[in-house]
Amino acid sequence: MDTGRAAQSAGEEIPAPVPGGDRTLSTERAEPLPFTPDTLLWDMTGDIRVLLYLPAALVLQVAHPAVGAGVDEHSVFRTDPWGRARRSLDSLQLWIYGGDRAVEEGRRLRRLHRDIKGTDTRGRPYHALSPAPYAWVHATGFPVFLRAAEYLFRPFDEAGERRLHAEARRLGRILGIRERDMPGSVEEFWTYFDAVVHDELERTVVVEELLDPRRSVPPPDGAGAALRLLWPVLRPALLRLQVFVTKGLLPPVARERLDIPWAPRDERRLRLFGRVVRAVVPRLPERLRYLPVAYAARRAARA
């Protein structure tokens, strides 16, 4: 995703690496293995900090001409932004915390994208389930998880980075991505990532919109009267923060490719923001720190 490396979150224990973790992913299985509490993604994906780093992965995704065109032409992110975000987040939570339902959710997503096709900005026909763009959408998670760990959790060391990559491949199988369409090692991943960034990514219409802090966003669905009244004041500040964090969590090579300015002062501000987040979030009660699906799964696992 989206560079940072990994170890453990501030004040949080990260499970020890599983011996031979990559080997369990090297052979085809009838059904991918669901995620369990001993995995890194189990700890990170349901944490409320996902709300801060997920937009960076989305920007990387829609910077691909085929993905950007598909979202531009077929998504309801403009007319129903909160509903679209909620459904995406619910789906993501099922991938990690859904147990046996995770595989079915992967199948549902493929059915949902079956009829999404058209022509991209370069005049090339695209289909949402074509191996290259479909694999790219999944691939954006790994560098962004690493960036999130560096700024919002704690950076991974080399062993942790390799373990995270193995788990990302495991997630890819849940989403129905073929083994041959996913880089087999961390080194192969960065070669693949750099090639896609330099050869494919561009500042699409959707990228422009997602990075515009002045865009029109209605109050959240179900917002009370007080929030609706204050929304014109709150919206600009919240969008500026969201766009700032999104830009900062993009891998530098992607920022350069997409012509997104990022000054040393911005970097200092982001690291200060990250220190505050790392100090506050681990101290929250579990029911506030984790999203509802993740919180329920964690409680059920302990029971």
Side-chain angles (χ1 to χ4, degrees), residues 43-105:
D43 272 346
M44 290 184 67
T45 311
D47 188 296
I48 58 172
R49 284 170 278 193
V50 71
L51 302 176
L52 293 171
Y53 64 79
L54 200 58
L58 180 57
V59 168
L60 282 179
Q61 291 166 15
V62 299
H64 190 291
V67 181
V71 171
D72 184 29
E73 297 169 2
H74 298 277
S75 175
V76 297
F77 81 98
R78 296 185 182 98
T79 57
D80 184 23
W82 294 103
R84 173 71 171 79
R86 184 183 64 254
R87 289 187 293 273
S88 296
L89 197 58
D90 287 346
S91 181
L92 171 63
Q93 298 296 292
L94 276 179
W95 304 346
I96 307 300
Y97 304 103
D100 293 337
R101 292 182 297 159
V103 175
E104 176 50 38
E105 177 63 10

Side-chain angles (χ1 to χ4, degrees), residues 185-259:
S185 68
V186 171
E187 291 78 11
E188 291 175 9
F189 177 86
W190 292 119
T191 299
Y192 156 79
F193 181 80
D194 288 344
V196 174
V197 168
H198 287 105
D199 297 341
E200 289 288 341
L201 297 199
E202 61 185 43
R203 195 162 172 134
T204 63
V205 170
V206 185
V207 169
E208 291 281 3
E209 292 186 41
L210 293 179
L211 295 181
D212 182 3
R214 299 163 299 178
R215 68 184 186 272
S216 177
V217 177
D221 299 338
L227 180 56
R228 288 183 176 276
L229 182 64
L230 292 172
W231 187 246
V233 177
L234 295 175
R235 179 183 60 81
L238 292 174
L239 281 178
R240 283 196 300 269
L241 176 62
Q242 184 253 310
V243 169
F244 170 74
V245 174
T246 298
K247 290 179 178 179
L249 294 183
L250 288 171
V253 66
R255 279 203 305 260
E256 181 179 353
R257 173 65 177 172
L258 299 177
D259 195 23

